[in-house]
Amino acid sequence: MKEKLELVRKEALAALAEVSASDALEALRVKYLGKKGELTAVLKQMGKLSAEERPVIGQLANEVRAKLEAAIESRAQQLANEAMAARLLSETVDVTIPGETRKLGSQHPMYQVLDELKDIFIGMGFEVVEDREVELAAYNFDRLNEKEGHPAREWTDTFYFTEDSSILLRTQTSPMQIHVMERQKPPIRMVAPGRVYRKDEVDATHSPMFHQVEGMVIDKGITMADLKGTLSEVARQLYGEDTVTRFRPHHFPFTEPSCEMDIQCYKCHGAGCPTCKGEGWIELLGAGMVHPTVLEGCGIDPDVYSGWAFGFGLERLALAYFKISDLRLIFENDVRFLEQF
Amino acid sequence: MDLSRKWLNEFVDLSDVSDKEFNDEMTLSGSKVETISREGAEIKNVVVGRILEMVRHENSDHMWVCQIDVGQDEPLQVVTGAQNQKVGDLVPVALPGAVVAGGKHIEAGELRGVVSNGMCCSWQELGMTEHDWPYNPENGLFLLNNDPDLAAKGLRPGEDITEAIGYDDIVVEFEITPNRPDCLSVIGLAREASATFARPLALHVPVIKGSGGNIADLLDIEIEDGDLCPRYTARMVKNVKIAPSPLWLRERLRASGVRPINNIVDITNYVMLEYGQPMHAFDFSCVEGGKIIVRTAREGESIQTLDGNERELTTNMLCICDEHKPVCVAGVMGGANSEIVGDTAMVLFESANFNGVSVRRTASALGMRTDASSRYEKGLDVMNTLKAVERACELVELLGCGEVVDGVMDVIAKDKAETVIPLEPEKVNRLLGTELDAQIMRDILLSLGFTLEGDDIHVPSWREDVERSCDIAEEVARFYGYNNIPDTLMRGETTRGGYNDSQLFERSLGTSCRALGYDEIITYSFISPSYYDKIRLPEDSPLRNSLRILNPLGEDTSIMRTTILPSLMEVIARNNNYRNKSVRLYELGKIYIPRDDGLADEPKMLALGAYGDGADFFTFKGTVEEILRAARIGDVRFEACQDNPSYHPGRCAEVYSGEKLLGVFGQIHPLVASGYGVDAEVYAAELSFEALYASHGGKPEYQPLPKFPAVDRDIAVVCDKDITIARLTDCIKRGGGELLRSVKLFDIYTGSHIPEGKKSTAFSLRFRSNEKTLTDTESDEAVRKVLERLEEELGAVIR
């Protein structure tokens, strides 16, 4: 018996080594360990053994069974691993083949910059305002302190719809100051972007239609110090924390005192380079304290309320931001241009 | 405004202030410096030389070999082809390594075998003109000793040429804002500089000796309209001797960008630059009747101006006239008929104040903006006319170019009241956010020429821009320093801020378009009226009623668009022209619908456009559907639209949400596309932003997920060809009742096995109950009902 068990074990292990497929392995398991298998056949003869031999052989038989089962299990795992490895190999792809994409559309570069600006102001409690582009001269000029005879009112500079020069295409976003003051009571914090129109022939830096962004704050106790602090903060958010600003006196009919804000050149940090045309500073926007005459014209008492306003051209900012060399590209809408952004 | 720093130093001594500091400080106090440059900066290593010896070149019959003293131990040998020099003359010599005008480098070399260690120069080679050097009119070497003022200077050989001839001034170009015409003058800028650097301002009061006579016996002045000419001041000079101006005066003019002409004309320009008051000199012998009449031109009058052009005058142009004719376009340019010429013996100096707007319009209409008109147009100080004419007469005596007739004609047609503003330090501080002492404010105002009587500020006549307290605040801020005002963030009531709902919706629409692969475009709001023809708009279409710009740049930008389609088509055509194979474009732009009050309704439109890369009706419709789905617009339906002339009559649809029309889309009519030069199928959509916004859904509400499985069944039915999928779907839905959850078309077939005039359509139906799992029998029954309904209503039978 003992020899027989040893033989079964030896034969089975030898056969196992030859097995290379999982179905053959199953057949082998049945052959040795199945109900009609060889080990079972040997065990069936246990009854013929003496009482002394039986536990010894029984133990041996169990050992052989356990050993074979473990060997088959291990072989099965090994075969499974091999099969998986073969499959993975056969499924290998060239990862450098381009992916199948669906291109996202691009937002126009001008409006990307505008969105960034709006978000900055919204973060400071400003609301976004829009209004009409076909405008009354009263809103575009008179109520902004640009009286009859102001050069900007000439027909050589402004597009008109009526012979009496009373209806025009707005030349600035500033009339939105008036609209907002008419509609709303202070406190007011608004930013108003939009299309504006001036009679300029198209070239690399001019276009008869372009965009401005206007902003205004009206409240009790608003000071020029607030103007400086807020606009400097905007510049830092736009150009980085270490941005240095300076304010220069300037002139606008609808603000007094008026100023322009420069930022120190982000390229040369003030040393002077081609980006800042050697000046060390780049002009960013015009601003000032809302003129009391403008406030009075909107029924706001300048002895109680004060405010500041600013405005700038979006195109110039966006062109510099993306290093776009020619304004015409902005309105040409060539997809090879648009898809760069 | 170009300012000479040498000239400025006469009024306020800033000779120790560096250019950089001058630039920065002036800019920060409000006089913005554009550029700052030294005259003759590019001229290097050119010196004064004295010709010691000249001999003929051994190999040339026109060249000279000169030995020149250039202040070195040995004379320099220079070969020249010039003929106007003689031994003893002083000439500019470019030494080896020199740079002359135009950046030209000069090195030692040989000319026909003879060594030449440099070059003798003409004034052209120094970058100058015959106007700068009237005593050296000819081509040839610049003979320094020909100029009496240079000769008198006693130039030394070896001296740097730019310093020797006074070509070394610092020229500062200012950008002067239109509210400060007083700063278009040396004195005006000197006043600003004096306040900026806290240095004293030394003004000068002209002194005239006079020569007897009385101007009132010679001249009469009449002003017809005091609004157009508030003041006209005149003086006269007799026994005039026209000659070049002295060097110092020519230097000043040149540094200021003004060409020297002759002593009398130069004096008028000098005074204009110094005082900011334009002046004119008439040859009095040409002023008929001894009378100056300031009036607008009569119908049909014309004048030849000093630039030689004949000018037609219109009746709103102000002119200076004698008894019979205009002799000057007021404030713009003089007439050739009274020009100062070589034999002028008697001169009339005009120093007048004209209406700025009138001068600007006249100059603009005549297309001649001059130094004078660009000053006048901003509105000048009425009080300045007398000071200026006195200064001119003083210069006449200084230059010895005539005898000043006693007396002044000064006609004031319109007076101007002085402005007085109370000093309110607390108000100024409140506006600026500062805590400045009243004394600081007083000092600043005094330094600018304001006077104070108690707390009353008397505004000087040249500061018409200062009218109320905020203007005083600006003066204080400018000289306290804008950058010394603290930076604060606003206090006060918190404001809500942010986007409103419509703005948020607009942003989300843009996001959808881009997610679907569409690029954003920006197009002009104005178009050409002919664009309506290009999109085949009928002659009587109400959309042709557009706002028309009366003074457009050109036809192409002359009317405000009432439809966004032509703008989109222009961009599509351009891209097609550039051979871009496909485009997907969108714009959210306004259209402008005229209103009775002359203004416009300005609704926004969402325009979409596509061609190439598989663009067809259904991919395009899919884009529209997806945009509507993302906007949660419900109850969407599409109706064929055969009568929109811009679109293909068989491939155009109107899209509705319920009864609300959202817009139109489809294939652009092939005739329209070919009109734009595009062969490809072009698709476009014009959707109303307002309608989309009005129809969009709010935030979604969660629907419980199904608990029971669905049953999918496919059906195929044959029906008349012209029954639309929308009708079939609608019929299926009603037949399917509550259990039917979705209907999806998956095939349309015509051809063999299908009778003529019929089509086969196949749908996937999904059934599900909320109460239980459907049995086969229940599902079959549901399908049967659907088929029954299809046959009953539409004659569609199962295939």
Side-chain angles (χ1 to χ4, degrees), chain A residues 102-108 110-111 115 118-119 122 124-136 148-151 154-156 158-163 167 169 187-189 195 197-202 207-209 211 217 219 221-230 232-233 236 245-251 256-260 279 283 289 291-293 296 302-303 306 308 330-336 338-339, chain B residues 24 27-30 32-34 175 177-179 357 360-361 364 427 429-433 465 467-468 470-475 477-478 482-500 503 506-507 513-526 547-553 557 560-561 571 574-575 578 580 582-590 592 595 597-600 602 604 623:
Chain A
R102 174 157 189 176
K103 189 190 71 66
L104 286 177
S106 299
Q107 189 178 19
H108 196 286
M110 286 263 296
Y111 291 160
D115 271 1
K118 287 197 277 196
D119 288 342
I122 284 172
M124 296 175 154
F126 284 61
E127 60 176 332
V128 181
V129 172
E130 291 166 73
D131 220 301
R132 63 192 181 201
E133 295 165 23
V134 177
E135 186 56 279
L136 294 173
E148 200 56 55
H150 192 279
E154 295 293 329
W155 277 49
T156 49
T158 297
F159 294 114
Y160 285 100
F161 294 108
T162 53
E163 290 292 349
I167 300 180
L169 274 174
I188 294 169
R189 290 186 189 186
R195 295 178 171 203
Y197 305 84
R198 289 183 195 172
K199 213 174 158 186
D200 289 326
E201 294 283 354
V202 175
S207 164
M209 182 188 99
H211 295 73
V217 171
D219 202 351
I222 294 289
T223 69
M224 187 142 179
D226 296 331
L227 176 160
K228 287 185 62 200
T230 311
S232 295
E233 178 56 26
R236 282 191 293 273
T245 56
R246 75 169 187 187
F247 292 80
R248 280 182 288 107
H250 200 71
H251 169 68
E256 189 77 25
S258 301
C259 62
E260 282 187 334
E279 287 188 37
E283 181 190 319
M289 301 305 291
H291 201 288
T293 309
E296 285 160 356
D303 287 328
S306 55
W308 54 269
I330 291 286
F331 298 109
E332 196 176 46
N333 300 301
D334 184 336
V335 290
R336 294 168 299 176
L338 298 174
E339 285 170 3
Chain B
D24 291 349
T27 294
L28 290 178
S29 71
K32 172 129 200 283
V33 174
E34 288 287 312
E175 180 206 338
T177 52
N179 60 326
V357 175
R360 190 186 72 235
R361 288 186 174 154
S364 166
K427 207 168 169 179
N429 279 325
R430 205 165 60 217
L431 192 61
L432 299 180
D465 60 308
E467 292 171 322
R468 48 196 296 183
C470 58
D471 300 310
I472 298 298
E474 181 171 87
E475 296 310 293
R478 287 201 298 132
Y482 275 27
N483 296 297
N484 293 327
I485 295 173
D487 286 4
T488 55
L489 287 175
M490 293 173 288
R491 293 162 298 269
E493 262 182 79
T494 314
T495 45
R496 185 159 147 264
Y499 291 110
N500 63 28
Q503 289 160 348
E506 187 176 325
R507 269 165 92 91
C513 292
R514 295 194 293 280
L516 291 160
Y518 281 66
D519 295 324
E520 186 175 32
I521 60 173
I522 303 176
T523 61
Y524 281 168
S525 318
F526 28 47
L547 278 174
R548 195 168 64 84
I549 298 169
L550 299 183
N551 56 335
L553 269 182
T557 51
M560 301 305 288
R561 65 185 181 196
V571 175
R574 193 172 303 130
N575 275 285
Y578 292 161
N580 293 326
S582 66
V583 300
R584 298 288 184 274
L585 305 170
Y586 81 95
E587 177 172 30
L588 200 63
K590 281 181 172 182
Y592 305 82
R595 285 195 327 214
D597 62 3
L599 296 170
E602 302 179 10
K604 281 183 192 160
T623 300

Side-chain angles (χ1 to χ4, degrees), chain B residues 585-619:
Chain B
L585 305 170
Y586 81 95
E587 177 172 30
L588 200 63
K590 281 181 172 182
I591 57 173
Y592 305 82
I593 309 297
R595 285 195 327 214
D596 290 342
D597 62 3
L599 296 170
D601 283 323
E602 302 179 10
K604 281 183 192 160
M605 299 295 289
L606 174 61
L608 297 160
Y611 73 76
D613 194 21
D616 65 19
F617 184 84
F618 293 105
T619 57

Side-chain angles (χ1 to χ4, degrees), chain B residues 241-289:
Chain B
K241 292 181 284 291
I242 300 296
S245 296
L247 181 59
W248 65 265
L249 199 153
R250 300 194 319 261
E251 279 176 11
R252 293 282 159 82
L253 295 185
R254 183 192 60 228
S256 310
V258 173
R259 203 171 71 183
I261 295 173
N262 62 47
N263 45 15
I264 294 293
V265 174
D266 291 353
I267 284 171
T268 62
N269 284 327
Y270 189 90
V271 173
M272 174 181 73
L273 293 166
E274 194 171 60
Y275 282 72
Q277 169 63 51
M279 291 194 56
H280 188 63
F282 297 94
D283 184 331
F284 191 63
S285 66
C286 306
V287 177
E288 287 181 77

Side-chain angles (χ1 to χ4, degrees), chain B residues 115-128:
Chain B
V115 171
S116 180
N117 290 314
M119 181 178 80
C120 296
C121 303
S122 66
W123 34 252
Q124 282 108 320
E125 277 141 350
L126 300 177
M128 305 177 91

